[in-house]
Amino acid sequence: MTNNQANAQNATLAERDAKHLWHPYTQHKTAALPVGIVRGEDALLWDENGKQYIDAIASWWVNPYGHSNKFIADAVYRQLTTLEHVLFGGFTHEPAVQLSEKLIEILPTNQQKLFFSDNGSTAVEVAIKVALQYYYNKGEKRTRIIAFEDAFHGDTFAAMAASGISFFTEAFKGSLIEVTRIPVPVKGKKQESLKAMQELAAAGNYAAFIFEPLVQGAAGMVMYEPEPLNELIALCRKNGIFTIADEVMTGFGKTGKNFACNYLTEQPDMMCLSKALTGGTIPMAITTFTQQLFDGFYDDDVNKALFHGHTFTANPTACAAALAGLELLQQPDMQQNLIRINENHTRFKATIEHHPRVKTVRVLGVILALELLTDSKESYYGGLRNRLYNFFIDNGIIIRPVGNIIYILPPYIISDDLLANIYEKVALAIEKIV
Ligand SMILES: *Cc1c(COP(=O)(O)O)cnc(C)c1O
């Protein structure tokens, strides 16, 4: 045995991690060591010391059907041992074709073409590039994008430009495409939002409007009604501005319907899907388009094609996981889970929303967000957030508050008992942590 191997045997996962690994959204100088997780089952995870955690946020909103899901694992194993990967340039395969057929069945009826990539950010990059190149191909000068304040669309450059949470993007300000922000049409801001859009739409140089439909996840599960979004989309349509529904977070049941767009009467021109797409197992994303957008690239001139691709585009194994996930989502039991969690959330909301330390509680589908009353504006990764986060971790619950907002977005298969445990700890945190 070498010295390294001997050291590795005595050190914890967290200590070995600290030697060479760099974590997302982490200031390593001040952050605690990460928790070393060794196993997951349904809504539970276990760390290297045997401590149990309830995954109350579905591991960043990706895992609807439970950790280490056997049904998905079997489908992935069958695919890995049949055809694990093949290039998608000039080739195709059954899992990708079948997935396109199944998705088209449940997507808004105007969505006709699917483009694969690797994650939520790339799904957004593709959507923005398609909007810009559509007009480039037509010889029309539309180079700007419209997005909501406090939006989050990912961390690559175009996605970052569209994102409005400033400390995520501050260092790159000079290098981003031009994006104009409008207010989110939350209660009391609807007119302001519509008026801002009316002014921009008249300007004629915008290619697209990108939005998180009904729920802005990273902003702290900020929610708004379908009706003003219908009006914004209609305004865009009238003025040649393509609409991009970023359903990376909201897709596949989170809002109680397959997609948040199912609450709308207007349909977006493009949709971005990832996160729960593969049941939280393998990274993959899809951007979906109307026929009109596809036709804007369909030409005898090769230069009008979409020159975008990723090495692992439409990886068959990821497609097999997505197909298994879709099958699970559509089972009556799983649909019943969406209703059951929403009912639990609604009951908890009623017990807690009048608490003197609670400003407001929002519920949509399986998402519950509780905003604490604070004297000062709490920063995203500030002190209150850290005290809450540590309290929940100590109590065996994975919740990542955003500033003064505590949210729950559990795997759909979570039991009523585990949900009750989460609510109890949230109520306790409200009493104890200020
Ligand atoms: C998470 C998220 C993204 C980015 O997805 P990644 O897979 O992290 O790149 C984009 N848009 C929304 C709405 C998201 O929630």
Side-chain angles (χ1 to χ4, degrees), residues 61 119-121 124 152-154 212 246 248-249 274-275:
W61 326 333
N119 57 64
S121 303
V124 168
F152 180 74
H153 297 292
E212 295 156 272
D246 179 353
V248 169
M249 190 282 283
S274 189
K275 292 211 163 104

